[in-house]
Amino acid sequence: MDTKTTEGVKITVTANYLPDYSSPVQQHFVFAYKIKIENHSEFTVKLLRRHWHIHDATGVVREVEGEGVVGQQPVMEPGEMHEYVSGCNLKTGIGKMRGTYLMERLIDGRQFHVTIPEFTLVVPYKLN
């Protein structure tokens, strides 16, 4: 589990390998990750955009950017949280992801970036 707090918004990430959706022989490794976003600030915030950097073990880096997360732009009052699950595929059994969310304080429209902590994507048998 990886955690990072930026301007009172705490991001926690857990990742898992999905062997049933992967095919190592074809260099296709699928991972799921769960993100918990907790608003510990004193302001209501809205998640506007996401920006990911996805690295595999060969040095290839992909960037993914877009509106919201899994089709939503959640609004969180102080003390509220939002969770979602998404996925990523790699051509190697080891990789990593990191990124940012663009958030907005609803009271004044101030936008700020929240850091998504870097986390590892690894096939369990690669750890032995």
Side-chain angles (χ1 to χ4, degrees):
M1 185 179 323
D2 297 283
T3 301
K4 177 81 176 172
T5 302
T6 309
E7 294 198 35
V9 179
K10 181 179 177 182
I11 308 297
T12 303
V13 184
T14 55
N16 296 300
Y17 175 58
L18 302 177
D20 292 344
Y21 297 95
S22 300
S23 177
V25 173
Q26 296 176 333
Q27 296 181 321
H28 183 75
F29 301 88
V30 180
F31 298 88
Y33 55 89
K34 181 178 181 180
I35 307 260
K36 183 195 300 187
I37 305 165
E38 299 174 77
N39 183 7
H40 294 290
S41 78
E42 58 189 67
F43 303 102
T44 301
V45 297
K46 180 177 182 177
L47 191 156
L48 300 175
R49 300 185 65 78
R50 70 192 181 288
H51 186 181
W52 287 106
H53 296 269
I54 305 165
H55 302 254
D56 72 17
T58 65
V60 172
V61 180
R62 290 182 290 159
E63 283 192 63
V64 176
E65 189 172 8
E67 282 191 2
V69 290
V70 293
Q72 299 180 326
Q73 290 183 314
V75 173
M76 290 160 280
E77 300 285 338
E80 289 186 339
M81 67 169 221
H82 178 80
E83 288 184 306
Y84 72 94
V85 176
S86 191
C88 172
N89 62 307
L90 297 176
K91 291 185 178 192
T92 61
I94 299 174
K96 62 184 178 180
M97 290 178 66
R98 63 181 171 81
T100 58
Y101 294 127
L102 178 61
M103 308 288 281
E104 179 180 49
R105 289 190 337 193
L106 294 187
I107 193 168
D108 59 7
R110 181 179 168 271
Q111 294 184 357
F112 60 100
H113 286 95
V114 172
T115 301
I116 304 165
E118 183 174 284
F119 57 97
T120 302
L121 305 167
V122 62
V123 175
Y125 60 79
K126 296 278 187 182
L127 295 175
N128 293 332

